[in-house]
Amino acid sequence: MITVEDKIRTFSKYVYEKELNEAENLIKEAELKSEKNIKESELKAKEKCEIRNVKLKKKHELERQKVVSKAKITARDKVFKLKNRLLEDLEDSIESSLEGFAESEAYEKWLFKMIDIYKEFILNQDAVIYIKEKDRIEFAEKLMKSYPRIRVAAGDDRCIGGFIIESENNMERIDYTLRSRLEEYQNETGLIFNEMLEEDFKNDR
């Protein structure tokens, strides 16, 4: 026969086990939720770290590019200034050589040979030949004997040699001064000079 005490004991056991199961379930749910929250927090933290790392990498790359770009500009400016200085030195050297040539024994022969190229022009009309003052003193008489219709005059102070022929009516002008030859070939000299530098640079690499 089941007594009241047995019923109470059985009911108490049922309630206890039920409460225990519910508590265990709540604990498991809490643990799962906690694990989920931890994983989510870890994932978010990882994402934030990755985003931060990406941002840092971009920042470092931008800074690196700025440094490299600045170094390239500085190097380019130095090379440009060096090229200009060397080119100026080269042009000064060429001008000095031309000045030396204009004082040499070969100059007179060259001058008359070049003027003779235009003899049809100066034999058929009145013209003026402009040469440097030193040449005018030395060669004017000889030139006027060869070309009776010309007048010989001194050119400007910048003239280092050569000549300018102008018709008296100022309709035609031939500039064959050494200065004009130098200026005419400056661009070509610059191009050749740059090509030489580039070739030397390639060979040194």
Side-chain angles (χ1 to χ4, degrees):
M1 182 177 178
I2 299 173
T3 63
V4 173
E5 288 179 357
D6 290 335
K7 287 181 179 181
I8 292 171
R9 193 179 296 113
T10 302
F11 181 74
S12 296
K13 185 180 178 185
Y14 167 76
V15 170
Y16 174 77
E17 288 178 351
K18 183 181 177 185
E19 291 295 325
L20 186 63
N21 286 334
E22 286 181 358
E24 287 178 352
N25 288 334
L26 288 172
I27 290 169
K28 284 180 181 180
E29 285 179 8
E31 286 176 348
L32 289 172
K33 190 173 182 179
S34 178
E35 286 178 6
K36 184 181 178 183
N37 288 335
I38 290 169
K39 285 180 180 179
E40 286 177 353
S41 297
E42 287 177 348
L43 187 61
K44 285 179 180 178
K46 188 177 179 182
E47 287 175 352
K48 284 182 179 179
C49 285
E50 287 176 354
I51 291 169
R52 187 168 178 272
N53 287 337
V54 169
K55 285 181 178 178
L56 283 173
K57 283 181 180 178
K58 284 182 178 178
K59 185 180 178 182
H60 290 153
E61 181 61 22
L62 285 172
E63 288 174 356
R64 188 189 70 81
Q65 287 177 2
K66 283 181 182 177
V67 171
V68 171
S69 179
K70 187 176 179 181
K72 284 182 178 179
I73 291 169
T74 302
R76 186 183 63 196
D77 288 344
K78 285 182 179 179
V79 169
F80 181 74
K81 287 177 183 176
L82 177 62
K83 279 184 178 181
N84 281 345
R85 192 170 76 246
L86 291 173
L87 187 56
E88 285 173 5
D89 290 345
L90 177 62
E91 289 171 353
D92 288 344
S93 176
I94 292 171
E95 185 170 345
S96 296
S97 296
L98 290 175
E99 288 172 350
F101 169 68
E103 299 298 324
S104 69
E105 292 180 4
Y107 173 71
E108 180 181 350
K109 184 177 179 181
W110 172 85
L111 180 68
F112 279 85
K113 181 181 177 182
M114 292 299 104
I115 292 174
D116 195 52
I117 292 173
Y118 303 98
K119 65 182 178 181
E120 287 187 15
F121 178 81
I122 51 183
L123 285 172
N124 295 324
Q125 63 180 317
D126 296 328
V128 184
I129 295 182
Y130 295 96
I131 50 180
K132 66 180 183 179
E133 177 61 18
K134 182 175 180 292
D135 292 349
R136 187 191 68 77
I137 294 168
E138 291 184 22
F139 309 135
E141 187 177 341
K142 186 175 179 180
L143 281 168
M144 287 187 290
K145 280 182 181 178
S146 300
Y147 310 105
R149 297 186 66 174
I150 67 163
R151 181 167 56 88
V152 181
D156 63 44
D157 295 336
R158 292 179 70 247
C159 182
I160 57 177
F163 57 91
I164 294 173
I165 302 173
E166 276 186 1
S167 61
E168 286 285 12
N169 59 17
N170 292 323
M171 296 297 290
E172 294 180 84
R173 187 175 191 268
I174 298 163
D175 187 340
Y176 209 91
T177 57
L178 295 179
R179 175 76 61 190
S180 69
R181 299 297 95 188
L182 178 64
E183 290 172 356
E184 183 179 330
Y185 291 116
Q186 271 182 342
N187 288 337
E188 187 176 344
T189 302
L191 289 171
I192 293 170
F193 183 71
N194 284 331
E195 287 174 3
M196 288 169 59
L197 282 180
E198 286 176 9
E199 191 63 33
D200 286 343
F201 178 73
K202 286 177 184 176
N203 293 335
D204 289 341
R205 287 173 68 179

